[in-house]
Amino acid sequence: MTETVHIRVETTFADIAADDWDRLSGASRVDAQTPYNPFISHAFLSSLEESGCAVAETGWLGQHLLLEGDDGALLGALPAYLKNHSQGEYVFDHGWADAFERAGGRYYPKLQASIPFTPATGPRLLSRVGQPVLPTQTALAEGLKELAKRHGVSSAHVTFAPQDEMPVFEATGYLHRTDQQFHFINEGYGSHDDFLETLASRKRKALKKERRAALENGIEIDWLTGADLTESIWDQFFAFYLDTGSRKWGRPYLNREFYSLIGERMAEDILLVMAKRGGRYIAGAINFIGSDTLFGRHWGCVEDHPFLHFEVCYHQAIDFAIAKGLTRVEAGAQGEHKLARGYLPVTTHSAHYITHPGLRRAVAEYLERERRDVEMVGEYLAEHGPFRRGGDNNETE
């Protein structure tokens, strides 16, 4: 960078101009060179705050780093939060917190650079379109470290970062952690049947049978997006979300207002896959549409039917990605059951800056072992995936 720059910390997206934010690479569809990721858009992040889901009262105090020039122009950004817990992150550090506090340390509060409640990979070190990327990213990574020191916190964490940002984090003193998700990769399939032809015959038969069984009892599937997303539809989907959330983790993270806000601000970036029986919706899954990726997020139902979860969340997502020419489906955290449905193991990445030397050494040793384990498991699962190999027969079904 030839101009003088500085970093300012903003606590709320209400004080960040949407037009300025959406000039950052990946934050809108205007940058043809960087895939659009809806979760880093101003619309999504501001909706989390304005609805009261990601605010200080819920343990998410905004600490968004804004890299600015002398003229105040926004050159880069890193969305971040000061947190007093580790909920809603999907990269688990509870063991680190427990160990440090047993040793007499204070793990919380900590800094968390992530998209709240969203285990989806996407840019974290954002640079303005046309701005030199590496100097911007380096300044932001260093800025987060400096903010951690100023707050006197134990650590700063950047979760679900893309792999190409990891060299910047490692060069600036962050530890590298890996984990695993399951993604569908669209190899240019013309239809779902084309995809099924790549599977071993036994797996192909099983999935066809599963899809037929899911739609028994008169169940139909609708794709809803854009103007389809009325308040009545959101009421119905929110009931599904509450039912699943209350059973899985006690108190759902998102509230009804959040869905109204994203429906108002980014309806064209949302796909609801809704299952209908007897003239009413009984289940649904919400997906977010990037320029090359479909991101599956929440699912819920008010009636239980065999295999309906797999149909609504995984098979329909593949159908949509193929129909729209998207290259990938990210179906959320965990779930080895996705492997049998054509979702392959993919490594995810996070970066961690630990301020205490003793804790840093312990975490570094742990992460080295964990990275080896993640790699070994990924290789094993890929080897035992559903795809056809040379010795597989292709008998008529």
Side-chain angles (χ1 to χ4, degrees):
M1 291 184 184
T2 57
E3 64 180 308
T4 302
V5 299
H6 65 275
I7 287 179
R8 177 169 62 89
V9 177
E10 188 57 74
T11 60
T12 174
F13 273 89
D15 293 329
I16 303 173
D19 288 346
D20 291 340
W21 184 273
D22 289 341
R23 292 191 184 97
L24 300 173
S25 292
S28 73
R29 298 183 186 272
V30 299
D31 178 17
Q33 295 183 338
T34 304
Y36 168 58
N37 185 301
F39 299 126
I40 63 168
S41 68
H42 192 280
F44 187 84
L45 291 165
S46 64
S47 295
L48 284 171
E49 291 186 356
E50 189 174 327
S51 63
C53 296
V55 292
E57 290 77 10
T58 61
W60 295 80
L61 173 62
Q63 296 285 284
H64 312 304
L65 278 66
L66 307 180
L67 184 70
E68 298 176 331
D70 284 337
D71 59 356
L74 184 62
L75 307 178
L78 173 62
Y81 302 85
L82 189 64
K83 295 198 64 193
N84 56 17
H85 57 70
S86 293
Q87 298 170 11
E89 298 169 9
Y90 302 90
V91 176
F92 303 112
D93 62 347
H94 301 98
W96 304 358
D98 291 344
F100 193 45
E101 291 176 4
R102 284 199 305 269
R106 183 170 177 240
Y107 192 77
Y108 302 107
K110 65 175 186 176
L111 282 171
Q112 183 73 32
S114 67
I115 309 304
F117 325 122
T118 308
T121 294
R124 298 294 179 259
L125 302 171
L126 312 178
S127 59
R128 191 177 70 182
V129 178
Q131 183 74 10
V133 174
L134 182 57
T136 301
Q137 292 181 336
T138 300
L140 291 167
E142 291 283 8
L144 186 64
K145 286 171 51 180
E146 181 61 29
L147 186 60
K149 294 173 184 176
R150 290 188 182 184
H151 280 308
V153 300
S154 69
S155 51
H157 309 264
V158 186
T159 46
F160 294 100
Q163 186 173 7
D164 61 12
E165 289 184 1
M166 293 312 302
V168 176
F169 286 116
E170 291 181 295
T172 49
Y174 291 73
L175 302 177
H176 183 185
R177 189 177 193 181
T178 59
D179 204 343
Q180 183 176 269
Q181 288 185 342
F182 294 86
H183 298 174
F184 167 76
I185 310 299
N186 183 4
E187 301 287 358
Y189 303 120
S191 67
H192 197 277
D193 285 340
D194 289 345
F195 157 65
L196 288 178
E197 287 302 314
T198 68
L199 305 184
S201 59
R202 181 171 57 87
K203 299 292 187 181
R204 186 165 59 247
K205 289 178 180 178
L207 290 189
K208 288 184 174 181
K209 181 179 179 180
E210 177 176 285
R211 297 201 71 178
R212 288 194 299 268
L215 300 182
E216 290 177 351
N217 301 318
I219 295 175
E220 301 175 342
I221 301 294
D222 289 339
W223 290 351
L224 306 180
T225 189
D228 302 327
L229 303 177
T230 64
E231 287 298 295
S232 173
I233 291 295
W234 285 124
D235 285 340
Q236 294 172 73
F237 177 76
F238 189 62
F240 306 154
Y241 170 67
L242 284 180
D243 181 75
T244 298
S246 60
R247 284 187 284 112
K248 292 181 71 173
W249 56 78
R251 184 179 64 84
Y253 296 127
L254 302 172
N255 59 28
R256 177 63 180 82
E257 183 180 358
F258 169 76
Y259 291 101
S260 289
L261 289 173
I262 60 171
E264 174 188 333
R265 296 170 179 176
M266 52 190 305
E268 299 298 331
D269 296 336
I270 298 170
L271 168 71
L272 286 186
V273 177
M274 300 285 276
K276 181 186 292 182
R277 190 177 77 87
R280 74 176 187 121
Y281 287 121
I282 60 168
I286 187 170
N287 303 263
F288 290 81
I289 308 166
S291 57
D292 63 357
T293 302
L294 183 70
F295 299 92
R297 288 302 300 115
H298 310 113
W299 135 276
C301 65
V302 292
E303 289 185 11
D304 291 323
H305 294 273
F307 307 115
L308 186 60
H309 171 249
F310 300 139
E311 177 65 27
V312 170
C313 293
Y314 308 135
H315 298 310
Q316 289 290 326
I318 290 175
D319 286 347
F320 185 87
I322 292 173
K324 301 300 181 181
L326 303 177
T327 60
R328 180 183 297 263
V329 177
E330 291 194 20
Q334 305 170 342
E336 292 183 5
H337 57 278
K338 299 169 187 171
L339 186 67
R341 290 157 185 91
Y343 289 74
L344 294 173
V346 172
T347 301
T348 59
H349 303 270
S350 57
H352 307 268
Y353 178 69
I354 311 293
T355 59
H356 188 278
L359 180 61
R360 178 184 173 85
R361 284 193 300 271
V363 170
E365 293 173 1
Y366 167 77
L367 292 182
E368 186 175 354
R369 298 191 300 271
E370 186 183 47
R371 285 195 299 270
R372 291 197 298 266
D373 291 345
V374 169
E375 183 177 6
M376 290 175 58
V377 170
E379 290 174 352
Y380 174 83
L381 291 174
E383 178 66 23
H384 291 80
F387 290 89
R388 192 170 62 225
R389 293 176 177 79
D392 179 63
N393 61 49
N394 196 26
E395 70 267 23
T396 303
E397 300 174 18

